Amino acid sequence: MDTWREGWFIFWNNLRSAPLYLLWNVVFMLYMGLTTSFLFTRGDRGPIDPLPDFMLLLLVPFTGFLFCRRGFRYLKDDSYTKMLYYYRILPIPLKFIMSSRIIQLLFALVFNNVIFFGFMLLMSYSYWVEMNAVSYIAFVVTWVGYGLLMTGSYIYYEFLKRGVIYMWASIIVNFLVASLAFVIYMNGGNLVRFVMEYSNQYGLLSPLMWGALVVGGLVLALMCRITLRKMSLRDLA
């Protein structure tokens, strides 16, 4: 319990020190929701192209981040390494740092996805009209589960590697995501429609939604455990 209380304290102090960054998150999520909504305006709702799948596969993991100065300057200043160095000097136990990052992740996933998917729904309502409110919530939560699954690897590189390695790892992940969307498309699939159908059929009892949450949560927990173990061995000099 102390670990999570201290993690919340770190998270809350970081948030209070830069409250305007929440405004940037709102602006960026609105922009993402607007640009993505343009892909959901076709009347036939069929597997037209891989772009809808690609955009959601690419963008949803980003909703697990709060867009702050540290995130924007990680390549130039290696800001995540400097953050760990600062916490080590204080000193703050690594488990408190990790719990703070998990709290930030969960906060960001809720905050950002409400804005992102909410605005996307508003701007392309005609595409989603066949879904009721419960089905759409199940659709969104399924993608949040995917976000949990992917964010663990980002946290791993964020805490354990320098900025340039983190950048290349992100590029590789994005390339793999693009490849996955293309492979699904070439085999006649449509991931967005697949999630929609499960959400429509089962609502909040969707096995796909609960499977995504459970698998995403387990992978995140595993990656955080591995990261925490290796953080104590990392040379920050």
Side-chain angles (χ1 to χ4, degrees), residues 136-149:
Y136 191 72
I137 291 172
F139 175 84
V140 173
V141 175
T142 303
W143 284 101
V144 169
Y146 162 72
L148 289 172
L149 173 69

Side-chain angles (χ1 to χ4, degrees), residues 10 80-94 97 159-160 162 227-237:
I10 295 172
Y80 291 118
T81 300
K82 290 182 178 178
M83 174 197 69
L84 285 178
Y85 184 76
Y86 171 74
Y87 284 147
R88 186 173 291 183
I89 289 175
L90 285 180
I92 294 178
L94 295 177
I97 300 172
F159 281 138
L160 297 179
R162 298 196 175 275
T227 304
L228 182 61
R229 186 172 66 247
K230 292 188 175 183
M231 280 168 64
S232 60
L233 304 176
R234 184 182 174 189
D235 182 8
L236 299 177

Side-chain angles (χ1 to χ4, degrees), residues 4-227:
W4 293 106
R5 184 174 64 245
E6 294 298 328
W8 173 260
F9 179 78
I10 295 172
F11 164 73
W12 182 245
N13 275 277
N14 287 336
L15 193 62
R16 286 196 307 171
S17 66
L20 289 180
Y21 284 118
L22 281 182
L23 177 60
W24 285 112
N25 275 263
V26 172
V27 172
F28 189 56
M29 288 302 120
L30 289 175
Y31 173 75
M32 285 170 50
L34 176 63
T35 54
T36 306
S37 69
F38 294 146
L39 303 175
F40 298 104
T41 55
R42 304 290 185 89
D44 55 12
R45 300 185 180 87
I48 303 164
D49 55 50
L51 281 179
D53 288 355
F54 169 71
M55 288 297 288
L56 291 186
L57 286 170
L58 176 67
L59 294 179
V60 169
F62 291 160
T63 63
F65 295 85
L66 293 179
F67 299 95
C68 60
R69 180 178 301 175
R70 182 183 301 137
F72 285 121
R73 299 176 66 89
Y74 78 89
L75 183 60
K76 179 180 178 182
D77 296 341
D78 201 9
S79 52
Y80 291 118
T81 300
K82 290 182 178 178
M83 174 197 69
L84 285 178
Y85 184 76
Y86 171 74
Y87 284 147
R88 186 173 291 183
I89 289 175
L90 285 180
I92 294 178
L94 295 177
K95 61 181 181 179
F96 293 170
I97 300 172
M98 181 58 71
S99 64
S100 171
R101 183 63 183 88
I102 295 174
I103 292 171
Q104 177 189 316
L105 163 65
L106 298 177
F107 174 86
L109 281 173
V110 174
F111 183 81
N112 289 334
N113 279 298
V114 166
I115 299 171
F116 171 57
F117 281 103
F119 195 61
M120 187 179 73
L121 172 65
L122 178 65
M123 298 305 296
S124 57
Y125 181 76
S126 60
Y127 186 91
W128 311 97
V129 69
E130 67 188 67
M131 304 184 74
N132 57 36
V134 173
S135 298
Y136 191 72
I137 291 172
F139 175 84
V140 173
V141 175
T142 303
W143 284 101
V144 169
Y146 162 72
L148 289 172
L149 173 69
M150 295 297 294
T151 310
S153 61
Y154 284 102
I155 291 176
Y156 177 91
Y157 283 98
E158 177 183 309
F159 281 138
L160 297 179
K161 305 297 179 181
R162 298 196 175 275
V164 65
I165 299 177
Y166 184 24
M167 179 196 71
W168 282 109
S170 300
I171 291 174
I172 292 172
V173 169
N174 292 339
F175 174 77
L176 293 175
V177 164
S179 301
L180 176 60
F182 182 75
V183 168
I184 292 173
Y185 168 69
M186 292 300 294
N187 285 276
N190 187 320
L191 188 57
V192 170
R193 288 296 302 173
F194 179 69
V195 178
M196 286 178 66
E197 289 168 3
Y198 261 80
S199 301
N200 268 333
Q201 184 175 354
Y202 297 102
L204 294 180
L205 297 178
S206 168
L208 185 62
M209 181 191 78
W210 287 107
L213 286 175
V214 170
V215 173
L218 290 175
V219 171
L220 174 65
L222 176 62
M223 293 302 297
C224 288
R225 182 179 294 272
I226 294 172
T227 304

